[in-house]
Amino acid sequence: MRRIKIPLPPVDERKKVIEDVDKDRRYAIDAAIVRIMKSRKVLGHQQLVLECVQQLGCMFKPDIKAIKKRIEDLITRDYLERDKENPNTFNYLA
């Protein structure tokens, strides 16, 4: 048996990889939310987060905070809107 040392990638390269992965995950979360809302049109916040976690569970374990941020971003980009009577419900716009 021999021991072989494999050098680790530099720290700055590792940071770049982490940023790229986060960027890809943001797109995946956006796509999952839009797919769910396109099929349902109106959905509550908890159900949307739950379905998003189920859909993305096969690729990675999504962070609930990241999903909430992506929902807010989709609201600002006019893909979704909050229901006027119930702020916990979202309507699909696009």
Side-chain angles (χ1 to χ4, degrees):
M1 290 235 171
R2 291 186 181 179
R3 203 171 271 210
I4 301 172
K5 284 193 174 184
I6 300 174
L8 293 173
V11 176
D12 57 334
E13 188 176 311
R14 202 176 308 153
K15 285 182 183 177
K16 184 181 179 301
V17 169
I18 290 172
E19 287 174 8
D20 289 344
V21 168
D22 285 343
K23 187 176 177 185
D24 291 341
R25 286 183 178 182
R26 274 186 264 148
Y27 290 135
I29 292 170
D30 283 352
I33 292 170
V34 169
R35 266 196 310 270
I36 292 165
M37 289 305 292
K38 203 176 222 182
S39 64
R40 301 291 171 87
K41 302 292 183 204
V42 176
L43 199 61
H45 180 268
Q46 194 64 30
Q47 294 138 335
L48 178 59
V49 171
L50 206 79
E51 282 196 42
C52 193
V53 168
Q54 285 176 348
Q55 269 194 16
L56 297 172
C58 62
M59 294 192 297
F60 62 94
K61 187 177 183 314
D63 184 28
I64 304 299
K65 289 180 183 178
I67 294 173
K68 288 181 182 180
K69 277 185 188 174
R70 300 317 305 157
I71 290 172
E72 291 302 320
D73 185 55
L74 288 170
I75 289 172
T76 59
R77 292 190 302 176
D78 292 332
Y79 281 90
L80 303 176
E81 71 173 357
R82 290 191 185 273
D83 193 42
K84 289 167 181 46
E85 289 143 20
N86 186 1
N88 285 332
T89 304
F90 300 107
N91 300 323
Y92 180 69
L93 295 176

